[in-house]
Amino acid sequence: MRATVDQAPVAISITDLKANILYVNAAFSEITGYAPQECIGRNESMLSDRRTPPEVYQELWGCITRQQPWRGRLLNRHRDGRRYLADLTVAPMLNDAGETTHFIGMHRDVTEEYLLQQQVRQQTLFLETVVASIPVSAVLIDENGRIVLDNLMYKALASDLKVEEPALLFLKLLREESGEAWSDFWHREKAFRNLELRFDPGGGRPSRWFSCAGQWFRHEEGSVDGFFSGSEKGYLLLTVDDITQQKKQQEQYRLRGLQALMAEEEKLESLKETLFAAIHQIQGPLNLIGAAKNILDRRGDDAGNVALRDLLQQVIAAGEASICTLEKCIPHTDNNAFKPVNLNQVLHDAITLLTERLLASGIVVEWVPTPVLPSLKGSENRLRSLFKQLIENAIDAMAHSRQRELRIHTWTRDQLIHITIEDTGPGIPAGLRTQVFEPFFTTKASLGRQHVGMGLAVAHEIVNQHNGLIRIDPDYDGGCRIHMQFEIRQTQPERPAKVSHG
């Protein structure tokens, strides 16, 4: 037993009841620097350093005098004068009568361990200080998508947006907006910056814009799993800068340009509508003439019929030539302009462009966009024209309504983007809900304005062009509700269908 204690790797000393040293092992001499003959007979206090608070010693003596072991840390002094941190356990030794006869002390030099812990703590504190001092919202996310650390600005952002963890929402948006590029950012740990996101909180609150940047780094894991093989973990430092004010200024300039662009596009649409109407007006009589010629052809080669048939054929040829000339004059949509489009933004544009008319008509607008809406690949200008046309139809429909409310909602479900535009007008009779999407059909004659009935036909064309569906909700009886849906994961958009004029 004595040999075992002598060779133990931990410093062991045995003292009398006044802490005078009676025995030390080899490890004690190695750790303290005192040879056995230098310390036996002396008090354990020879190792004490005045930097250890007296309260620690009071607690130690209180425990061992009650025959209870004590475990703690003391700042000791080595024989050469340097200080070291001792992890100490002191226990009473009892005789057969249960009386304390000696004390046994065991301690280890844990200075290096403590310094490493302090270094880790300082590094963590430094990182927290750096993150806290970043003048934008910052959050540290591990490779499993868990939030490890954030700063006060991030907490303020979460409170402002009324979202528990905005970072996870932004990551979802970034993944959807970046598409395949996100795989490089996340799985290959590539840095990114200046990725802009739009957030629509709804509830009458204005849209917000944020610029996101991300920087990856790897840190050695501190768990026991990596004790033998080593283990590193990836972390993403995500910073989110609120650029709403800059965007508002840009938005003012953009809307001015947009108004000019929409005015030009409306002229083109008006020209297209006029040309389609002219073709329609020519095609109708031309079809009757063609039918008359077919009747004469079946009657035979009567001399009078031959001259009349020749004349009718000339009229048909002239009419078809006129239609061909008019068709060549119809402006065509450029399909090369398809790009990712945020439908919340486009709908907001349409509402903003019609604000004056909505106010003048006394219409209350309920705009409820979903905060996170994936992009749709399409023509921003055509989609804006679509929504503007539908909102204008709603304004016209409510011209004589006592209650004038316009409600616009967006949401996603089953890999589809859904949009509804509903008004409190008289609605569209069930028998006309399909017919209204046909060219040159209109229900607006009673409003005292001239309409040729191409609005919903063009709207139907634009929706089809974007691989979508548009219908009038048969279950809505408070006016008219237009329901549109578009695929989130789109293939190449279709070419615009030519509106029939036959």
Side-chain angles (χ1 to χ4, degrees):
M1 183 70 178
R2 173 68 181 264
T4 302
V5 176
D6 285 340
Q7 298 173 29
V10 62
I12 298 175
S13 63
I14 298 175
T15 73
D16 61 18
L17 297 181
K18 294 183 178 181
N20 295 314
I21 299 173
L22 304 175
Y23 165 83
V24 296
N25 68 351
F28 183 94
S29 297
E30 183 180 348
I31 291 174
T32 66
Y34 289 98
Q37 61 271 22
E38 293 179 298
C39 54
I40 291 177
R42 297 181 65 181
N43 195 276
E44 284 276 3
S45 62
M46 72 179 199
L47 300 177
S48 301
D49 185 88
R50 59 184 178 84
R51 286 179 172 79
T52 302
E55 294 80 7
V56 176
Y57 293 109
Q58 291 170 7
E59 181 187 348
L60 185 158
W61 279 103
C63 285
I64 61 177
T65 54
R66 292 192 301 270
Q67 295 187 343
Q68 296 174 350
W70 181 87
R71 171 89 185 264
R73 290 185 172 184
L74 302 177
L75 191 61
N76 282 354
R77 186 181 290 273
H78 192 272
R79 185 177 184 279
D80 63 11
R82 61 183 172 84
R83 298 178 185 87
Y84 70 93
L85 188 65
D87 183 45
L88 172 65
T89 299
V90 183
M93 299 176 68
L94 309 180
N95 60 17
D96 293 339
E99 299 171 335
T100 303
T101 58
H102 300 83
F103 296 115
I104 182 170
M106 296 171 284
H107 78 269
R108 296 182 302 114
D109 183 350
V110 293
T111 306
E112 290 187 8
E113 179 183 326
Y114 171 77
L115 292 176
L116 285 173
Q117 290 175 346
Q118 288 299 105
Q119 184 178 358
V120 171
R121 188 173 297 139
Q122 289 297 326
Q123 288 176 347
T124 302
L125 181 60
F126 175 73
L127 179 59
E128 291 175 350
T129 304
V130 169
V131 171
S133 64
I134 296 175
V136 295
S137 299
V139 58
L140 190 65
I141 306 166
D142 69 16
E143 59 191 17
N144 297 317
R146 290 191 294 264
I147 293 176
V148 178
L149 180 67
D150 57 26
N151 65 356
L152 289 175
M153 292 196 68
Y154 176 79
K155 290 181 173 66
L157 178 65
S159 175
D160 188 24
L161 298 181
K162 295 179 172 55
V163 175
E164 185 175 354
E165 291 295 354
L168 302 182
L169 175 64
F170 290 156
L171 287 179
K172 183 176 184 293
L173 269 171
L174 288 169
R175 181 169 58 251
E176 292 171 347
E177 292 291 329
S178 303
E180 295 180 0
W182 184 251
S183 180
D184 282 344
F185 292 147
W186 189 264
H187 297 295
R188 298 184 184 180
E189 299 185 356
K190 287 189 176 181
F192 57 88
R193 60 180 181 176
N194 298 332
L195 294 183
E196 294 185 357
L197 296 175
R198 176 191 174 96
F199 180 81
D200 292 286
R205 292 182 293 163
S207 301
R208 302 279 294 274
W209 282 92
F210 301 95
S211 177
C212 299
Q215 178 65 54
W216 283 93
F217 65 92
R218 300 196 71 80
H219 183 67
E220 189 170 344
E221 187 91 49
S223 69
V224 295
D225 297 338
F227 180 78
F228 289 106
S229 59
S231 177
E232 283 190 338
K233 197 169 188 178
Y235 294 88
L236 173 67
L237 179 60
L238 177 69
T239 57
V240 181
D241 189 12
D242 190 338
I243 56 172
T244 303
Q245 290 303 319
Q246 299 95 302
K247 278 291 182 181
K248 282 183 177 179
Q249 294 176 356
Q250 295 174 10
E251 188 74 358
Q252 291 177 356
Y253 293 114
R254 191 181 71 85
L255 283 174
R256 290 173 191 169
L258 197 57
Q259 288 172 337
L261 177 63
M262 291 296 290
E264 188 65 28
E265 288 185 350
E266 285 177 359
K267 290 179 183 178
L268 290 175
E269 287 299 323
S270 177
L271 175 59
K272 287 173 65 175
E273 190 172 306
T274 300
L275 291 171
F276 279 130
I279 292 171
H280 179 72
Q281 293 298 323
I282 295 172
Q283 190 71 59
L286 203 60
N287 290 341
L288 294 175
I289 294 171
K293 180 179 178 298
N294 289 336
I295 293 173
L296 292 175
D297 286 341
R298 287 195 293 271
R299 287 183 177 178
D301 295 331
D302 182 271
N305 287 347
V306 171
L308 181 56
R309 282 190 315 217
D310 289 344
L311 178 60
L312 293 178
Q313 183 59 46
Q314 292 176 29
V315 172
I316 291 171
E320 289 177 345
S322 297
I323 289 175
C324 183
T325 300
L326 291 173
E327 286 179 338
K328 290 179 180 178
C329 295
I330 296 173
H332 292 287
T333 303
D334 182 10
N335 258 9
N336 296 325
F338 280 85
K339 61 181 182 180
V341 178
N342 186 306
L343 294 184
N344 277 346
Q345 174 69 56
V346 177
L347 276 162
H348 184 267
D349 288 346
I351 295 170
T352 303
L353 291 168
L354 292 170
T355 297
E356 290 187 10
R357 191 174 170 200
L358 288 164
L359 291 173
S361 302
I363 295 174
V364 177
V365 178
E366 181 183 286
W367 165 229
V368 186
T370 185
V372 180
L373 194 65
S375 294
L376 175 78
K377 191 172 183 182
S379 168
E380 183 175 339
N381 291 338
R382 296 222 81 195
L383 289 166
R384 191 181 296 109
S385 296
L386 162 69
F387 299 137
K388 185 171 180 289
Q389 176 68 55
L390 294 176
I391 295 173
E392 286 181 323
N393 284 357
I395 294 172
D396 290 340
M398 292 185 284
H400 301 296
S401 299
R402 295 184 63 183
Q403 181 181 0
R404 301 179 184 181
E405 296 180 3
L406 176 67
R407 293 180 284 272
I408 304 174
H409 295 202
T410 67
W411 73 95
T412 59
R413 188 177 62 224
D414 301 330
Q415 292 299 306
L416 294 172
I417 297 173
H418 294 264
I419 300 168
T420 56
I421 299 176
E422 56 189 60
D423 61 56
T424 54
I428 297 175
L432 301 179
R433 288 172 183 164
T434 301
Q435 196 174 355
V436 291
F437 292 105
E438 297 176 2
F440 310 110
F441 180 87
T442 181
T443 60
K444 297 181 180 179
S446 62
L447 298 177
R449 295 173 57 190
Q450 186 64 35
H451 295 276
V452 295
M454 287 296 291
L456 286 178
V458 173
H460 191 263
E461 173 196 349
I462 295 172
V463 172
N464 284 344
Q465 179 186 359
H466 291 82
N467 301 324
L469 294 175
I470 181 171
R471 67 184 180 92
I472 296 171
D473 189 346
D475 300 323
Y476 182 71
D477 57 6
C480 177
R481 176 192 285 158
I482 300 289
H483 183 189
M484 291 162 281
Q485 63 185 49
F486 300 92
E487 293 180 9
I488 294 177
R489 307 294 182 191
Q490 284 197 28
T491 54
Q492 182 63 29
E494 297 176 359
R495 296 189 64 83
K498 182 179 283 188
V499 177
S500 171
H501 41 257

